[in-house]
Amino acid sequence: MKNFIFLFLLFAASNIYAQNYDDDLITLAEIIDNEIHNNSKADQEVIDKLNRVKSKKLQFVKDFLVLSFSNPNELISQRFLEKPKEVDLYHFNFTFRLYQKFYRLEKLKGEERQLKYQEVFDEIKNEERTNKQFLYIYYDMLFSSFQGKNQKMSLAQNEVNFRKLKLKTSEEKNIFFMTCLNTYRFEILCEMNGFSNGSDYSKARSYFNQYPLFEGKKFYFFNTLAKEDFNVIIALNKEYDSFKKEFFTEYLRLLVYYYQSYNNDEEERINLIKNSIILDEKYWKFVIPQVVQDLEKVKADIK
């Protein structure tokens, strides 16, 4: 009888724990939905709500979100820049997939909403995902959070050491590199394409100068390129797409912009040509036609 009571209490406790985990996931996803597009720091009510999340499985995710919405500068630290443990990556991914899949849909109410929660939970649990996809979502959110709340902050005082960040494979390094470049990519694009009071190359150069050094060198020296392709969700409104296609398109586009922005500095242009992959045509097959045309212009310009 005692054994039966013990097993019953253990079963009940495990069910309560599981329900608390599910409830905490929903709470985190709701907070993300409310705050992710808010460029101002969250008020204390939001932080208090985050701190009421008690599931130990979600401690890393909760700590990340507290800083993301209150003091994102602190995300640029060893704890969050280094590759998270696999279990933390899993829970981080689950939280953000819940947000992506449910909160981008029409909001439901009452019982219908609860049924939808369970449907989405089951769907995410059954997804076949890889650690590379988990890692992409993580670093994409990290650098998006940092830039979203700190539009004038610079990463120039930092230096990226992949070994210290526990990033071992070429794919892992590429994920970090690409998501880091995304921090200022939109601003550079705007300045180079005249969306901000006409093309202003000096402003574009100022954004390029905000990137950190990678292994002691400027970003355009990076040539540790992914050996294998894999699929990632690049944006909330898109399905899975090739990582290599996105990586090489955006990386080579930035290299073209860098070349164009240094139109009055021939020495720096030569450094770029000599030390980057900008004219290595074997990578052009991954790139969209518009960027290939721009690369052809650079190639013709240096002859």
Side-chain angles (χ1 to χ4, degrees):
M1 184 67 178
K2 289 182 179 179
N3 287 340
F4 173 78
I5 293 173
F6 173 77
L7 290 173
F8 175 79
L9 291 175
L10 184 63
F11 176 76
S14 65
N15 279 345
I16 292 171
Y17 182 80
Q19 186 59 49
N20 287 342
Y21 171 75
D22 290 355
D23 290 343
D24 283 346
L25 274 172
I26 292 168
T27 296
L28 293 178
E30 286 177 338
I31 293 172
I32 294 168
D33 186 49
N34 292 330
E35 296 295 323
I36 197 166
H37 298 298
N38 176 15
N39 284 335
S40 301
K41 293 183 180 180
D43 56 33
Q44 189 59 43
E45 182 180 352
V46 174
I47 304 305
D48 291 343
K49 190 174 182 180
L50 279 168
N51 285 326
R52 286 196 290 271
V53 169
K54 299 302 181 183
S55 173
K56 292 183 179 179
K57 291 181 179 180
L58 296 170
Q59 185 65 47
F60 180 83
V61 184
K62 183 182 80 172
D63 291 347
F64 178 99
L65 290 176
V66 167
L67 292 181
S68 175
F69 296 137
S70 64
N71 192 9
N73 288 352
E74 294 189 20
L75 289 174
I76 310 301
S77 64
Q78 183 66 23
R79 181 191 179 194
F80 292 103
L81 286 175
E82 73 178 18
K83 179 184 176 182
K85 298 176 182 177
E86 287 190 12
V87 65
D88 289 329
L89 274 180
Y90 173 82
H91 295 303
F92 191 96
N93 174 77
F94 202 116
T95 305
F96 279 87
R97 288 296 287 151
L98 179 62
Y99 157 67
Q100 288 176 329
K101 293 183 74 65
F102 184 75
Y103 290 98
R104 295 301 89 193
L105 302 174
E106 182 181 356
K107 298 298 195 305
L108 305 175
K109 303 294 182 182
E111 184 178 350
E112 190 178 10
R113 181 175 181 135
Q114 292 304 314
L115 290 172
K116 188 64 178 180
Y117 275 136
Q118 191 57 53
E119 179 184 324
V120 170
F121 266 75
D122 293 341
E123 189 176 342
I124 296 173
K125 287 177 182 177
N126 292 326
E127 283 183 337
E128 293 186 6
R129 309 294 300 283
T130 67
N131 281 346
K132 291 191 287 287
Q133 291 167 333
F134 289 172
L135 198 64
Y136 180 86
I137 286 180
Y138 175 72
Y139 281 126
D140 185 48
M141 292 307 306
L142 187 151
F143 287 110
S144 296
S145 299
F146 171 74
Q147 180 63 357
K149 301 289 191 295
N150 294 282
Q151 293 182 355
K152 295 184 179 179
M153 293 297 297
S154 173
L155 293 172
Q157 70 274 21
N158 296 276
E159 180 172 338
V160 175
N161 182 305
F162 291 115
R163 182 183 59 80
K164 290 182 179 179
L165 297 183
K166 302 179 181 178
L167 299 170
K168 299 179 180 179
T169 69
S170 60
E171 289 79 19
E172 290 175 350
K173 294 173 184 177
N174 279 208
I175 288 169
F176 184 96
F177 181 72
M178 175 180 167
T179 51
C180 182
L181 291 190
N182 285 346
T183 311
Y184 307 111
R185 180 163 61 88
F186 178 74
E187 287 81 0
I188 292 169
L189 183 148
C190 289
E191 298 300 339
M192 295 302 297
N193 288 282
F195 298 147
S196 177
N197 299 319
S199 295
D200 188 334
Y201 291 166
S202 65
K203 287 185 179 180
R205 289 194 299 272
S206 73
Y207 285 117
F208 279 120
N209 290 333
Q210 291 183 45
Y211 284 129
L213 296 178
F214 293 86
E215 307 288 5
K217 298 179 180 179
K218 291 183 177 181
F219 81 97
Y220 60 73
F221 279 79
F222 185 83
N223 61 3
T224 306
L225 305 171
K227 297 177 181 178
E228 298 179 1
D229 198 8
F230 54 96
N231 291 327
V232 292
I233 294 178
I234 304 298
L236 288 176
N237 60 346
K238 292 184 179 181
E239 296 300 322
Y240 286 103
D241 205 351
S242 159
F243 176 81
K244 278 192 173 184
K245 175 184 174 183
E246 181 73 10
F247 175 86
F248 285 111
T249 292
E250 298 309 329
Y251 185 26
L252 288 168
R253 192 200 307 268
L254 279 178
L255 293 180
V256 168
Y257 286 159
Y258 192 87
Y259 178 85
Q260 293 172 343
S261 70
Y262 278 85
N263 57 323
N264 293 320
D265 190 338
E266 191 65 22
E267 182 179 356
E268 185 60 11
R269 279 187 161 189
I270 291 171
N271 286 335
L272 172 71
I273 297 299
K274 285 183 176 180
N275 297 296
S276 77
I277 65 166
I278 188 169
L279 295 183
D280 195 334
E281 295 185 32
K282 67 174 175 284
Y283 301 116
W284 294 12
K285 64 184 178 181
F286 298 106
V287 175
I288 63 173
Q290 179 186 350
V291 176
V292 173
Q293 291 174 8
D294 291 336
L295 289 165
E296 293 282 7
K297 291 177 183 178
V298 173
K299 182 179 178 181
D301 188 46
I302 65 172
K303 288 183 177 179

